[in-house]
Structure formats: structure tokens, C-alpha cells
Amino acid sequence: GGGLDPELGELFGGGPAGAFREAEVRRGFVRKVFGIVAFQLLVSSAVAVGMSAIPPLKAYVASPRGAWTLWTGLGVTLALVLTLSCSPDLARRHPHGLILLSAFTAAEGWVIGAVTMFADTQIVISAALITVVVVAALTLFAFQTKYDFTTMGGVLISALFGLIAFSFVLMFLPYNKIVNVAFSAVGAFLFSCYLVVDVQMLMEGKRIQLSPDDYVLAAMN
């Protein structure tokens, strides 16, 4: 049972008022996370476009001498992901969590910008549009479906480790277009599943839910 709330005049946490407040908190949490993600995408896009708009920087990053910039960005991104994932208390602490998330966003923007230096502009635009459509569709699906995908965590992590292991094997095999397309398709499907799980972890009524204090971790996911 809950306690008596003097303002609501009902059993807070145990009656309709408590349930209503919990639903409101959860909805506010979802809005906050998606707001942060929208800002992250805006910053990442701005960094990537800004990099491509500076010819000397673009030429340097795309040259063999500038390869270290991409690997450094990937290293920083991975380090921040591990820091935030392994130290949830640090992610919840204000403003430490937001500072680390901002650094992660900047590093992600740099990596995206560096990758676009090596790819054809048309391919990058096509990939971006496909991503927008797929993410929007999967997000709507995650909110509408009655099936609880948050229970699939163990299966997805196993599949992810398998995909990573196979990627190392591909490094030592001769290039094969069919194998690479299949590898990319499996990776896209796997991370689509992760997206559905991550969205549902924000929602109420699921077996596994993130706390409203975990907005930094939720946005990173």
C-alpha cells in the first residue's frame, strides 16, 4: 500500500492517483529521452556537415595520414560507452552524466563525419533516409505492439557477440560481395531488434524498465 498524499487526498502509490502520477512520470521520461536523442542527432549531423564543408580538413581525414582521426573517434566513443554502461551511478549524477553524454555525442558526430569522407555522398544520403524511415517505423511498432520484447536481452547479446566474432573472421578472408551484404543485413536486423527493445524499456508495463533517473543511459542506448 502507499501513503496518504495530502494534496491528492488518496493513497499515493496504492490507488488511482498513484497510478496516474506514475504514468505521468513515465511519459515525461519518454519525452525527455526522445528530446535528448533529437538534440544528439542534430549535433552529430552538424559536426558531420561542418567537417565536409572544410576542404582542407576533408582532404586530410580522407588521406592515409588522417586515418588516425577515425580510429581515435571510435576509441573515444567506445571508452565513453563503457564508462556510462559500467558506471550507472556516474551516468545518473548531475551534471556528470550529461557532460559524458555530450562528449559521446561529439565523438559520434566526428566518427560519422570521418566515415562520410570515404563514402560517396549519394550513398550517405540514401543511408540517412533509409535510417530515418526504419527508425520511425520501428519506434511506432515498439509503442503499438502488445508483445514484450524486453525479455529478449540474452538472445540479442549472444547474437551481437556472434556478429562481432564473425567480423574478425571476415578481416582475414578474401573480399566477397555476397558475404558482406549478408553480414550487413544481419547487422541491420540485429540493431533493429535492439532499437525495439530499447524503446520498450522506456515504457510502462514491461518486464524490464529503465528508471526515470536513467535518461542518460536511455538516450545513449
Side-chain angles (χ1 to χ4, degrees), residues 70-220:
L70 174 60
W71 293 107
T72 301
L74 287 170
V76 171
T77 302
L78 180 60
L80 289 169
V81 167
L82 292 175
T83 300
L84 288 167
S85 300
C86 298
S87 304
D89 290 337
L90 181 63
R92 296 186 190 104
R93 198 177 306 165
H94 187 80
H96 305 75
L98 288 176
I99 292 173
L100 290 173
L101 185 65
S102 299
F104 167 78
T105 303
E108 278 280 276
W110 178 268
V111 170
I112 294 170
V115 169
T116 58
M117 305 296 182
F118 300 94
D120 182 79
T121 304
Q122 190 64 40
I123 294 175
V124 174
I125 294 174
S126 299
L129 291 175
I130 292 170
T131 301
V132 168
V133 173
V134 171
V135 169
L138 289 174
T139 302
L140 289 173
F141 170 75
F143 274 105
Q144 296 298 324
T145 182
K146 295 181 179 180
Y147 185 81
D148 187 354
F149 286 91
T150 62
T151 58
M152 295 176 57
V155 175
L156 292 180
I157 195 70
S158 299
L160 177 60
F161 280 125
L163 190 73
I164 293 172
F166 187 63
S167 70
F168 283 107
V169 173
L170 284 180
M171 293 172 62
F172 301 99
L173 295 178
Y175 178 79
N176 185 302
K177 184 176 181 180
I178 296 176
V179 173
N180 277 268
V181 169
F183 175 79
S184 301
V186 172
F189 175 76
L190 178 60
F191 281 95
S192 295
C193 295
Y194 263 111
L195 181 61
V196 173
V197 171
D198 289 334
V199 170
Q200 285 200 335
M201 286 174 67
L202 307 179
M203 300 159 56
E204 58 183 323
K206 302 303 178 184
R207 186 174 300 184
I208 300 175
Q209 292 181 176
L210 287 171
S211 163
D213 294 326
D214 288 329
Y215 55 89
V216 169
L217 290 174
M220 186 184 69

